[in-house]
Structure formats: C-alpha cells, structure tokens
Amino acid sequence: MVKTDVLIIGAGPVGLFVVQQLGLIGLKAEVVDNLNKIGGQCIELYPDKPIYDIPALPECTGESLTKNLLEQIKPFKTNFYLNERVQEISKEKNNWKIVTSKDKIFIAPNIIIAGGVGSFEPRKFPIEEAEKFENNGIYYSISDKNYFKNKKICIFGGGDSALDWAIELSKFAEIILVHRRKEFRGVGHNAEIVRKLEKEGKLKIKTPFQINSIEGQDKISAITIKDDDGKTEKITTDCVLGFFGLIMKLGPIAEWGLNLEKKHIPVNTENFQTNKKGIFAIGDICTYPGKLKLILSGFHEGALAARACFKLARPNEKYRFEFTTTSKSMHERLGVKKID
Amino acid sequence: MAKITYIEHNGKSHVVEVPKELTVMEGAVQNNIPGIDADCGGSCACATCHVYVDDKWFDKLPKKENAEQDMLDMAFKPNRFSRLGCQITVTDKLDGLVVKTPLKQA
C-alpha cells in the first residue's frame, strides 16, 4: 500500500506537467499508466511528428516533449507504475482507496485523471467468432515469437506492426499477409521488403481482402477472407494476427460514478474538480464550455487542479501563491543551488 | 447550408442542415447523431468518424488523401465507400449528401 498526496492516472504530457506543479507546492504524486512507456498519445500515436504549438517551443516532437517534461520533474523523484490500469476506487474517510490491475493499492486524498481519452487497447477483428478465439489462435500482440515457430499464420494489417511481424516471422513460419487494399503504409522499406519476400516465395500476400469468418471447434482450423466484391477464399491456418492500431477506451473510469458526456468528464473550470470531491480531470479527458484539446490547455488545467489538491492534502495549512523566480521553498524543492 | 442525411446502422435516418465549412463529422456531432465517436476531434488520427458514403454520392466527393486512406485501414469494417467524416468538408455541392454510419466505430 502506498500513501501519497495525489494519484495521477495517465503519464502523458499533462500528467507529467501536473507532477511538476504539485511538486512545486510540496505535494507528492504517484503516476499510473496502462501503457508500457511514459508519454501517452505523444509517444504512442506521434513520437516523430512535429508539434508547433507548445508555448516558447517553436517546434518539438512528441518524443522530445516527453523527454523534456521528464527532465523538468526530475527533482521530484516520482514513481511510475506502467502497464498498470486503475481498476477500482472507493472512499475511505477523507481519502480515496485506489486499486490497480496488478492489485497495487494507493491511499490518497486526491486523484487527478489525465487519461487522454482513456486507455489504449488494440482494435479487434470485426466478427463475433474472433472473441471466442482471442488468445487461443487470435492475437493482437506478440509476447513470445518462438510460440509461432513452424506455424501457419495469417497476418492482417497494412501498417508497420503487420509488416514488421510478417518479415520477422517469415524466417521460421509460413506467413500469409492479408490487407484490405493493395497499398501498404508503414515507414521506410518495409513494404518493399515484403514484396521482395513474396517474390522469393518466403511469404504470401492477399490483397484486397478482409476477414469474413473463422472456422474451428476448440482451435482455429481455417478462415475465409472476402474482397470488396464479395468474392471469398478459404485459407487453412493455425493462428491469426491482427494489427489494426490502437483505440482509446474509457475503461473502468466509466464505472466510478463520475458524470460523463460522450466519453468525457465534465469539470468545474475553477479547479477542474469532477462531480466527486477530490477527483479531478485534466487534459483531453475533461470537458467544459470552450474546451480545447490542446496540450497547452492541459498544462493550465493541471496548474489549477494542483492548487485544489493542496487544500485536501494539507487541510490545516494555508496555500500561498509564489513564483518560481523568487520562492525559497520552491527552490529547495527544485534542488536549485543557492546563489548568495 | 447543405442538407445531409445520416442513416444509422439500424436504418433510422436523421436529416440535418449543416453549415458550409463544417465537416460531415462535425455536422453529426453537433446534432447529436449517434454512431460517430470522433475521439481525436477531427484531426484524421483515430478513424472513429467512419461513414459509408451513399454510392451515388461517393464519386462526387473530393478524393481521399493518403492520411485518410491509411487511417481507414483501422476503421471497423471499411468498404469501398468508406470515408472519414472529418475529412469531408461541407459545400453547396454536397446538398443532399447521404451517409450511413457503421454498426460501431471500433
């Protein structure tokens, strides 16, 4: 069990910056994120794409922004719990008890939800049978590639994950790459390599096809694929891999009794508190009249939410507004060397 | 203004007037038409405003750019009439446009 001042859900840019805002006023935070790395959408969706609207940064990338935010919160020595999702929350006197998917328990007077539009989950095959075989023949990610040795595998998708795995697994498995159109996306030479492997007879490509049905009792025996004109084709296969990118799902947050408006959490713009005392929502996940889904808006929202957290974490202390340029206590928290 | 008909997967149709310069996605969201999620807010980054354009209208729309084509790979059950609502800007020429929404967005 970990006691802290604030539990932050989401390690995206807004979650990271609020760590700094809390740290400056002397509050300790712990951060939980469902992804396996820090950075949220910046890292998952557009690590290399330039961002042009961060104040005073004419141009940066999702990756460099994340790196700099981590640098900025270094003095606060924050713990990150990655690959972990907040599952349940319950009220315990003046605190919230928070339980994660790995059964970790946090006790905190404040929760800040900076969860983007929820947690990232793989997009799945659009047919019902796919659910029955999930993790038993149908996979959306690969943890141990050796499992696929000498198997017959259908890989669906046209992006980097699909192409990378088709290339890699073709070294020791029989691969059929299926995509809904003739063109593959994916950066660099992946598409060329796949075409070359096809010419050399090392893998097969089926386009333009999508999945139509899955056959089999306890395990998959075959699938059928269908093109735009409805023509179907049957393929015997041991397993099926789908790489259709990630989708954001609100997940357990929807079960916590918070008011919701179309996957977003309405907040009071004075302090970004939700309808529950001590639960705040900032960044893309919150909504209010005039809300803009900009990183810079999330930074502002975090600054205000942090001050509101102070009142609940230090009920007997008075909050004093200070500037980082002149505040001695802030300098101490930042570990800034004293200049006499 | 252009009159746009949004037909839900269950066949229920909604006819709304959408101002020029808005997108087909915005027209749906602002009129609370079900079936369009628009998670990313209209930046061609999520494929949750996927619609099937009526076949009589499909060729009258400006062509897809690569980014939209790539995003559609991730959409739920795309077909040859698939478009992303956020990438179709409403003009006078689109008065009468008919689009269908998929069973779900993901």
Side-chain angles (χ1 to χ4, degrees):
Chain A
M1 192 180 79
V2 179
K3 279 192 174 178
T4 188
D5 292 320
V6 184
L7 189 276
I8 299 171
I9 302 174
V14 173
L16 295 177
F17 187 68
V18 79
V19 167
Q20 199 256 6
Q21 288 295 300
L22 291 163
L24 284 177
I25 57 175
L27 297 188
K28 180 87 181 114
E30 309 276 323
V31 186
V32 177
D33 197 297
N34 194 34
L35 286 174
N36 61 3
K37 44 192 175 292
I38 294 170
Q41 293 177 59
C42 284
I43 290 296
E44 197 58 44
L45 295 184
Y46 48 85
D48 315 319
K49 282 192 189 164
I51 309 173
Y52 299 102
D53 58 355
I54 306 296
L57 271 180
E59 185 182 342
C60 68
T61 61
E63 199 170 14
S64 68
L65 183 73
T66 303
K67 204 175 129 245
N68 283 332
L69 283 163
L70 277 172
E71 184 67 33
Q72 200 168 14
I73 63 170
K74 224 176 184 175
F76 309 114
K77 299 185 179 68
T78 310
N79 296 316
F80 287 88
Y81 304 83
L82 300 175
N83 263 326
E84 203 157 344
R85 188 161 83 168
V86 173
Q87 218 61 26
E88 285 170 33
I89 60 163
S90 53
K91 192 85 197 172
E92 272 194 3
K93 288 182 197 158
N94 292 326
N95 283 311
W96 289 100
K97 179 183 173 193
I98 299 115
V99 186
T100 73
S101 51
K102 289 185 183 164
D103 293 326
K104 186 127 205 138
I105 295 172
F106 296 91
I107 301 287
N110 299 290
I111 299 172
I112 295 181
I113 305 173
V117 198
S119 52
F120 285 98
E121 290 174 19
R123 292 174 205 250
K124 302 188 171 173
F125 286 105
I127 54 175
E128 269 178 32
E129 310 97 278
E131 213 173 303
K132 178 177 146 195
F133 291 108
E134 197 170 323
N135 296 321
N136 175 32
I138 293 208
Y139 306 92
Y140 299 104
S141 63
I142 291 177
S143 48
D144 175 18
K145 66 180 181 186
N146 292 319
Y147 173 81
F148 297 96
K149 228 166 221 172
N150 302 321
K151 288 205 161 67
K152 191 169 176 184
I153 307 164
C154 288
I155 299 180
F156 284 79
D160 280 317
S161 303
L163 301 182
D164 280 344
W165 281 117
I167 294 164
E168 180 62 25
L169 296 178
S170 71
K171 292 171 189 162
F172 50 71
E174 195 182 326
I175 302 296
I176 300 168
L177 180 60
V178 189
H179 185 39
R180 73 169 188 100
R181 57 190 172 114
K182 288 199 168 67
E183 301 79 25
F184 291 104
R185 12 182 244 290
V187 291
H189 300 296
N190 268 348
E192 285 166 40
I193 298 171
V194 163
R195 298 279 179 208
K196 187 168 154 270
L197 290 172
E198 184 193 24
K199 258 184 211 147
E200 293 167 355
K202 289 182 179 148
L203 59 77
K204 287 186 187 133
I205 296 177
K206 294 271 183 198
T207 55
F209 282 100
Q210 296 185 63
I211 199 153
N212 181 56
S213 70
I214 303 170
E215 295 169 19
Q217 288 300 320
D218 301 326
K219 61 190 199 78
I220 294 174
S221 58
I223 58 167
T224 61
I225 53 175
K226 190 162 87 173
D227 71 7
D228 269 354
D229 298 315
K231 192 183 88 183
T232 62
E233 206 173 300
K234 187 170 173 167
I235 306 173
T236 58
T237 189
D238 300 318
C239 40
V240 182
L241 300 173
F243 296 105
F244 308 110
L246 300 168
I247 180 95
M248 289 176 273
K249 299 254 182 188
L250 204 46
I253 293 173
E255 316 294 322
W256 298 346
L258 298 171
N259 290 344
L260 292 175
E261 269 175 30
K262 281 189 182 172
K263 294 197 203 174
H264 296 92
I265 307 172
V267 289
N268 169 356
T269 51
E270 195 184 322
N271 53 13
F272 295 89
Q273 192 162 244
T274 66
N275 60 312
K276 300 254 180 202
K277 193 180 171 192
I279 302 185
F280 304 83
I282 58 175
D284 284 0
I285 204 161
C286 76
T287 185
Y288 51 87
K291 165 70 185 170
L292 287 177
K293 283 192 180 185
L294 293 178
I295 293 172
L296 74 93
S297 307
F299 289 165
H300 160 79
E301 293 155 10
L304 269 65
R307 271 69 187 181
C309 288
F310 186 91
K311 287 181 191 153
L312 294 175
R314 306 273 185 275
N316 303 319
E317 288 175 38
K318 173 142 174 43
Y319 165 73
R320 260 190 333 125
F321 177 77
E322 293 179 302
F323 288 114
T324 56
T325 41
T326 47
S327 162
K328 271 187 188 155
S329 49
M330 283 184 174
H331 286 178
E332 271 167 31
R333 288 167 193 144
L334 287 167
V336 182
K337 276 181 202 149
K338 279 180 195 151
I339 304 160
D340 294 318
Chain B
M1 287 284 189
K3 193 173 274 184
I4 298 184
T5 305
Y6 298 86
I7 304 173
E8 286 182 60
H9 191 261
N10 60 16
K12 194 175 170 199
S13 98
H14 307 258
V15 184
V16 293
E17 296 273 350
V18 181
K20 275 193 289 187
E21 303 299 321
L22 285 191
T23 63
V24 168
M25 177 277 280
E26 289 167 318
V29 170
Q30 293 185 6
N31 289 288
N32 292 316
I33 290 163
I36 304 249
D37 292 348
D39 282 351
C40 78
S43 54
C44 197
C46 74
T48 64
C49 62
H50 172 209
V51 294
Y52 304 115
V53 177
D54 185 90
D55 51 1
K56 289 188 281 298
W57 278 95
F58 189 77
D59 289 330
K60 294 179 189 161
L61 300 179
K63 295 278 166 287
K64 279 175 273 201
E65 301 215 5
N66 283 341
E68 181 183 355
Q69 188 69 269
D70 288 351
M71 252 358 271
L72 278 169
D73 285 348
M74 301 180 185
F76 179 87
K77 286 196 174 174
N79 69 20
R80 69 173 63 167
F81 301 111
S82 290
R83 291 293 306 256
L84 294 183
C86 71
Q87 299 302 303
I88 309 171
T89 305
V90 174
T91 60
D92 288 335
K93 282 185 187 161
L94 296 192
D95 187 38
L97 176 68
V98 180
V99 298
K100 288 181 185 156
T101 56
L103 173 64
K104 52 182 184 173
Q105 289 290 350

